Amino acid sequence: MPMSKPAKSDLSSTAEDYVKAIWSAREWGGEPTSITALAERFGTTRATVSETIKRLTARGLVTHEPYKEIALTPTGELEALLMVRRHRLLETFLVTTLGYGWDEVHDEAESLEHAASTRMIDRIDDVLGHPDHDPHGDPIPSRDGVIRHPASAVSLAEAAPGDYCIVRISDSDSDRLVYFDEQGLLPRSPINVQSQDDRAGTTTVVTAHGNLVALAGDATRAIMLVPTPH
């Protein structure tokens, strides 16, 4: 059942960033975030993060006990999803309407998402025709905070040899996005996984451009795939 939609959040930009980061850590099967991970993410100290988490807990957005995972309450999850919606709609608008490259929009959207009103975000959604995904393939939550991910998605690092379609590419590294674009590694593009070399830690693929490419490390975890039906 969709969660009820609040009016424009009265959270600070810091609180909005935190709930979004806590939610995003687990979106594609990742581990729950931690005090240390949040400190690294925001370039601050563990003590500062701990104080912020205490404030979010007091507001009913987060649950956290010492040495246990940080989790969102239903209210915190809705706030996070509405921030994710803002971010992804803004990225889509910047690419499709203003001509930005997909490697240029993350930081712009991070700034704009705090200032844009709910009315503006909904208007952007209307103008864009209610897109399901942003330029990187990440699904865009609805106005009610509903989000849908492909059930069979796996990371390239985990994919067995065979034919797949790319459904999502992480936007965390802009230089990597430029490289992926050059190679034909794009959302909704076909890809053939040739082999997994566990000893070398590399995955060899054939891209939509017909290029034979060996990828390793974070690059293989940045790409999410679904099997191509036969």
Side-chain angles (χ1 to χ4, degrees), residues 41-226:
R41 164 69 177 80
F42 295 116
T44 189
T45 65
R46 285 173 48 87
T48 297
V49 172
S50 294
E51 285 302 313
T52 302
I53 293 299
K54 288 178 182 177
R55 289 196 296 271
L56 296 179
T57 300
R59 291 204 58 170
L61 301 172
V62 167
T63 61
H64 180 239
E65 296 179 17
Y67 310 108
K68 293 186 178 181
E69 69 180 60
I70 300 170
L72 296 172
T73 65
T75 300
E77 182 176 357
L78 180 55
E79 291 284 3
L81 284 165
L82 294 179
M83 287 306 298
V84 169
R85 169 179 167 81
R86 289 167 172 273
H87 183 91
R88 293 177 182 174
L89 281 170
L90 286 164
E91 287 192 334
T92 306
F93 180 74
L94 290 168
V95 169
T96 62
T97 306
L98 299 186
Y100 279 68
W102 75 329
D103 57 300
E104 301 175 310
V105 294
H106 179 75
D107 289 344
E108 291 275 24
E110 287 279 291
S111 299
L112 293 170
E113 67 192 31
H114 299 295
S117 67
T118 299
R119 180 183 180 186
M120 176 178 286
I121 293 299
D122 287 346
R123 181 59 180 151
I124 288 173
D125 188 27
D126 291 339
V127 168
L128 294 175
H130 311 292
D132 294 328
H133 298 81
D134 73 8
H136 311 102
D138 281 310
I140 298 173
S142 71
R143 296 177 182 181
D144 299 319
V146 175
I147 190 167
R148 294 181 174 85
H149 295 88
S152 56
V154 296
S155 72
L156 177 57
E158 302 167 324
D163 293 322
Y164 296 84
C165 177
I166 298 173
V167 292
R168 182 258 184 176
I169 295 179
S170 170
D171 63 357
S172 63
D173 186 324
S174 59
D175 290 336
R176 187 170 61 204
L177 288 176
V178 172
Y179 174 73
F180 283 170
D181 195 2
E182 293 170 349
Q183 298 299 324
L185 292 164
L186 300 167
R188 300 174 183 77
S189 295
I191 185 174
N192 178 264
V193 178
Q194 297 275 293
S195 63
Q196 296 275 12
D197 186 335
D198 294 334
R199 179 173 297 180
T202 60
T203 302
T204 303
V205 303
V206 177
T207 75
H209 290 173
N211 299 332
L212 186 66
V213 180
L215 301 170
D218 288 344
T220 64
R221 292 183 288 273
I223 302 174
M224 300 297 295
L225 315 171
V226 293

